[in-house]
Amino acid sequence: MTALPGETPIPHLEAFDAHGVRMTLTVPAEPDEAATAAEVIRRLALETAPRWERVPGTVGGTELRARLLDEAGLALDGLGFMHWALSADGDVLASGSPRPRRAPDDGADPFFGEAWHASIADENGLPLADVSLAGTPGWHAALAVRRRGDGDRARTVAVLADAARAADRLANQLVAARPGEIERLEASLADDGAAALVLAAGQEPLVTEGWPLAGAAWLASEARAAH
Amino acid sequence: MNFTQRVLTGVASVSLAAAGVLGLGAGWGLSNGHGPQGGASEARSGAATLASSGLATVSTGSAPAWRTVSAASLLGSAPADVTARSHHRAVAA
């Protein structure tokens, strides 16, 4: 649907509020297709959120947006969209490419393109880190950012995982962990095929081995295993 | 059936699925679905845990799991397609 024989549409952004969650959808498609996809996600969010809000711990927490992202991603996949980037209150889930390559004549891997470029910013919009996501359709890449504290006690964490709920869970653990516990959380990250970044005031950034530095792309764990 | 009609038919299917009519579970078949995380967004009360004792602990023996990097190495030059940020501060218990 989004790998066209001619020019690839410019990524089109749709933004909307769904049950108190600010969501955006960026998809390289014609404006009417993008609007239709956004309507699908908005309806899903409106119908799904009340059900999730009955789950203990979901109301007022980050798990709601993570669940919305994962379900919205599956819905887009099911409807044939292979290239898209969703955000829900700042968390991101992406698939495919914003600029998928045109289908080659030999039919080999027609949908691979450049990765989504995600910028991690602080509450003032100041860029903290850049990371490229996904690139292979069907493999979701999630990015969750959490922050706590102010001044010299401020800590920002970011987690890359292949599902929004995993990124949410791990990011919440990291941002709440005592300094001595962060090292032990590396095992949890590895078990989920996730990567993390920790930024603490006055200290050099910490990353796990899987975190992609500038110029590198992060692929979901199953995609990494297959390539 | 054109694209819009096909998608809106899909919307009806999604709505029915969300309502449980199609018998899909809450996890929608996610391979790494996790159960409800009670208080997943709760951070420990007080910022005392973030004292200046430092976070740069690295495992000895085997290859370090965590490593320090320069702030510059985190930033790229390509314009962002999507921005991730902490929308809400973690809520204390």
Side-chain angles (χ1 to χ4, degrees):
Chain A
M1 174 182 304
T2 54
L4 304 177
E7 292 183 359
T8 300
I10 296 172
H12 188 84
L13 173 68
E14 294 279 339
F16 50 93
D17 291 312
H19 219 82
V21 178
R22 182 67 173 170
M23 299 190 73
T24 67
L25 169 67
T26 306
V27 57
E30 298 299 333
D32 59 340
E33 291 184 349
T36 302
E39 179 61 18
V40 169
I41 303 307
R42 193 182 68 82
R43 291 191 193 186
L44 175 70
L46 289 174
E47 291 161 0
T48 300
R51 177 159 53 95
W52 292 131
E53 285 180 345
R54 290 197 289 272
V55 175
T58 304
V59 178
T62 57
E63 188 177 2
L64 176 62
R65 74 175 89 141
R67 288 178 180 270
L68 285 174
L69 281 174
D70 281 338
E71 292 211 358
L74 287 178
L76 290 172
D77 288 348
L79 293 171
F81 288 93
M82 282 176 282
H83 307 278
W84 46 263
L86 284 163
S87 75
D89 281 350
D91 288 355
V92 173
L93 187 70
S95 175
S97 169
R99 285 163 284 277
R101 284 201 291 258
R102 60 171 295 204
D105 295 335
D106 61 5
D109 192 13
F111 303 119
F112 196 89
E114 61 183 87
W116 291 95
H117 295 291
S119 172
I120 300 172
D122 66 9
E123 68 278 13
N124 299 315
L126 186 70
L128 299 174
D130 295 323
V131 60
S132 298
L133 306 176
T136 303
W139 305 112
H140 297 176
L143 175 60
V145 180
R146 302 287 178 266
R147 182 179 181 277
R148 66 173 293 173
D150 294 304
D152 60 0
R153 298 185 173 198
R155 180 194 296 177
T156 300
V157 304
V159 171
L160 288 162
D162 60 6
R165 277 182 277 179
D168 169 65
R169 171 177 52 83
L170 294 165
N172 288 340
Q173 290 175 357
L174 271 175
V175 80
R178 298 174 182 272
E181 294 173 344
I182 288 180
E183 181 181 331
R184 289 194 292 272
L185 286 173
E186 194 278 336
S188 297
L189 292 163
D191 287 345
D192 281 284
L197 162 70
V198 176
L199 300 167
Q203 300 187 26
E204 289 184 302
L206 277 176
V207 297
T208 60
E209 288 300 321
W211 184 270
L213 298 177
W218 190 86
L219 297 177
S221 56
E222 293 186 52
R224 285 202 300 272
H227 288 75
Chain B
M1 183 183 293
N2 64 26
F3 168 71
T4 301
Q5 290 172 329
R6 177 159 45 90
V7 168
L8 292 179
T9 299
V11 170
S13 299
V14 168
S15 301
L16 291 173
V21 173
L22 298 182
L24 296 178
W28 282 48
L30 288 176
S31 61
N32 61 341
H34 295 285
Q37 298 291 318
S41 65
E42 297 171 354
R44 302 213 174 135
S45 60
T49 57
L50 299 178
S52 57
S53 58
L55 299 173
T57 56
V58 177
S59 301
T60 57
S62 59
W66 292 93
R67 57 193 177 97
T68 58
V69 297
S70 66
S73 67
L74 296 175
L75 295 170
S77 58
D81 298 307
V82 58
T83 299
R85 61 165 59 98
S86 175
H87 187 80
H88 298 292
R89 187 172 303 177
V91 178

